[in-house]
Amino acid sequence: MKVTVVGAGNVGATCANVLAHRDFLQEVVLLDIKEGTAEGKALDTWQQAPIDYYSTKVTGVTNDYTKTANSDVVVITSGLPRKPGMSRDDLISTNANIVKSVTENVTKHSPNAIIIVVSNPLDVMTYCAYLNAKKDSSKVFGMAGILDTARYRAFLADEIGCSPKDIQAILMGGHGDTMVPLPRYTTVSGIPVTELVAADKLEAIIQRTKVGGGEIVNLLGTSAWYAPGAAAAQMVEAILKDEKRIFPVCAWLTGEYGLKDIYLGVPVVLGKNGIEKIIELQLNADEQALLNTSATHVKEVMDVLDNMKTPA
């Protein structure tokens, strides 16, 4: 099995490194446009193999898509990262052109590959990749919900004083300030979170989760990379091992939740065919209203992309 990660920045390099440590792939190709960057990070990861005991070969290349040929999965992390004071939406014009070019190149050399988009603004860049990949939407989707729920669960673990391993949660909507954490579907070893966390503290955690990416941008001066890279790697593993994992994923909706022709975060079953099923939860009126608000925001940015001359 072979995976390509496009973009050897912090997120892409972390994704490749985590996949190498999982030790189930024959090769991970790390590609970047900056001369030597992918090669250097790939070599560093390969030299880590004798220390951490894995055999997956990581190959770095500079803008040579022929080396990505016949990849089973392609992870797209390319694009400019957010800077302090910059919203995800500010990135749309530049990153749409980048994602368009990357998608066309990887599809040319790996026509059957499943594509996972990590580039921001996530929901709209996934839509951009879908327009240019010209393949079924079950094969083109975005990583956001796994990262967002991880932040949510990490914050809850701090508040409860328990292991984050024991927290299960679901989160829906766009990747940004309008995301929709769902306390009603959040449990700690089967115990409803509302029995363990006071309502006001739970609401504070939800609000912190919504701006979780911005919190790290303000601290570091750039976007997060350890958690996003690991989240993308987890999706790759679920697909190539056909694990049928249920994850929140940015997926193309065709009527689910009363929404159509939009990429939005929803729970899905991930397996060898990509998105094998979209799960429709029985949302209450308040939850559905929040999801609709998030969808409206995402749709507005999708409309910006549709009105550009370059995305497709």
Side-chain angles (χ1 to χ4, degrees), residues 60-111:
V61 297
T62 300
N63 223 26
D64 183 1
Y65 283 89
T66 63
K67 295 293 196 302
T68 72
N70 301 314
S71 293
D72 298 287
V73 176
V74 175
V75 180
I76 300 176
T77 73
S78 307
L80 297 180
R82 281 202 296 168
K83 298 296 182 183
M86 180 187 290
S87 73
R88 286 185 175 86
D89 298 352
D90 292 335
L91 298 175
I92 184 171
S93 179
T94 299
N95 284 358
N97 285 287
I98 294 171
V99 169
K100 175 183 186 295
S101 173
V102 169
T103 303
E104 290 174 342
N105 277 298
V106 298
T107 303
K108 175 182 177 182
H109 295 284
S110 301

Side-chain angles (χ1 to χ4, degrees), residues 6-15 30-32 37 41 77 225:
V6 183
N10 289 328
V11 174
T14 298
C15 180
L30 185 61
L31 182 146
D32 201 271
T37 298
K41 292 185 178 182
T77 73
W225 61 84

Side-chain angles (χ1 to χ4, degrees), residues 140-194:
V140 184
F141 41 90
M143 187 293 295
I146 294 175
L147 170 62
D148 294 330
T149 54
R151 288 172 172 159
Y152 178 44
R153 290 154 63 196
F155 299 153
L156 285 171
D158 283 339
E159 175 62 30
I160 296 166
C162 71
S163 169
K165 295 178 183 179
D166 292 332
I167 300 176
Q168 288 292 320
I170 198 70
L171 181 151
M172 296 175 62
H175 182 50
D177 300 347
T178 63
M179 69 178 73
V180 186
L182 297 170
R184 196 161 62 90
Y185 291 96
T186 305
T187 60
V188 184
S189 288
I191 304 167
V193 73
T194 50

Side-chain angles (χ1 to χ4, degrees), residues 4-271:
T4 288
V5 180
V6 183
N10 289 328
V11 174
T14 298
C15 180
N17 190 280
V18 171
L19 284 171
H21 277 79
R22 293 286 193 266
D23 205 20
F24 69 96
L25 297 168
Q26 278 68 52
E27 183 181 21
V28 177
V29 176
L30 185 61
L31 182 146
D32 201 271
I33 60 171
K34 186 177 179 182
E35 185 74 38
T37 298
E39 290 88 342
K41 292 185 178 182
L43 181 59
D44 194 14
T45 298
W46 181 236
Q47 290 170 357
Q48 192 180 3
I51 300 168
D52 285 350
Y53 286 88
Y54 56 83
S55 304
T56 297
K57 178 70 174 179
V58 182
T59 304
V61 297
T62 300
N63 223 26
D64 183 1
Y65 283 89
T66 63
K67 295 293 196 302
T68 72
N70 301 314
S71 293
D72 298 287
V73 176
V74 175
V75 180
I76 300 176
T77 73
S78 307
L80 297 180
R82 281 202 296 168
K83 298 296 182 183
M86 180 187 290
S87 73
R88 286 185 175 86
D89 298 352
D90 292 335
L91 298 175
I92 184 171
S93 179
T94 299
N95 284 358
N97 285 287
I98 294 171
V99 169
K100 175 183 186 295
S101 173
V102 169
T103 303
E104 290 174 342
N105 277 298
V106 298
T107 303
K108 175 182 177 182
H109 295 284
S110 301
N112 298 317
I114 291 170
I115 296 175
I116 300 172
V117 179
V118 186
S119 307
N120 275 321
L122 188 282
D123 312 277
V124 184
M125 290 305 101
T126 305
Y127 176 52
C128 180
Y130 170 60
L131 292 175
N132 290 283
K134 297 178 173 59
K135 62 175 64 185
D136 192 87
S137 61
S138 65
K139 309 287 187 184
V140 184
F141 41 90
M143 187 293 295
I146 294 175
L147 170 62
D148 294 330
T149 54
R151 288 172 172 159
Y152 178 44
R153 290 154 63 196
F155 299 153
L156 285 171
D158 283 339
E159 175 62 30
I160 296 166
C162 71
S163 169
K165 295 178 183 179
D166 292 332
I167 300 176
Q168 288 292 320
I170 198 70
L171 181 151
M172 296 175 62
H175 182 50
D177 300 347
T178 63
M179 69 178 73
V180 186
L182 297 170
R184 196 161 62 90
Y185 291 96
T186 305
T187 60
V188 184
S189 288
I191 304 167
V193 73
T194 50
E195 294 188 18
L196 299 172
V197 180
D200 59 335
K201 291 184 177 179
L202 185 55
E203 180 58 30
I205 287 170
I206 288 171
Q207 293 307 315
R208 186 182 180 191
T209 301
K210 289 183 178 183
V211 296
E215 180 179 357
I216 290 180
V217 169
N218 290 332
L219 290 168
L220 293 177
T222 188
S223 298
W225 61 84
Y226 294 131
Q234 188 176 57
M235 290 175 69
V236 172
E237 187 171 18
I239 292 163
L240 293 181
K241 289 185 176 180
D242 195 24
E243 291 182 326
K244 315 294 188 188
R245 297 291 302 274
I246 295 176
F247 289 135
V249 167
C250 181
W252 183 248
L253 301 183
T254 57
E256 298 88 353
Y257 297 97
L259 300 167
K260 190 175 181 182
D261 297 338
I262 185 172
Y263 264 100
L264 204 65
V266 293
V268 309
V269 177
L270 273 190

Side-chain angles (χ1 to χ4, degrees), residues 172 185 255-259 266-267 277-283:
M172 296 175 62
Y185 291 96
E256 298 88 353
Y257 297 97
L259 300 167
V266 293
K277 180 182 180 182
I278 293 177
I279 297 171
E280 286 199 72
L281 304 176
Q282 299 301 308
L283 300 182

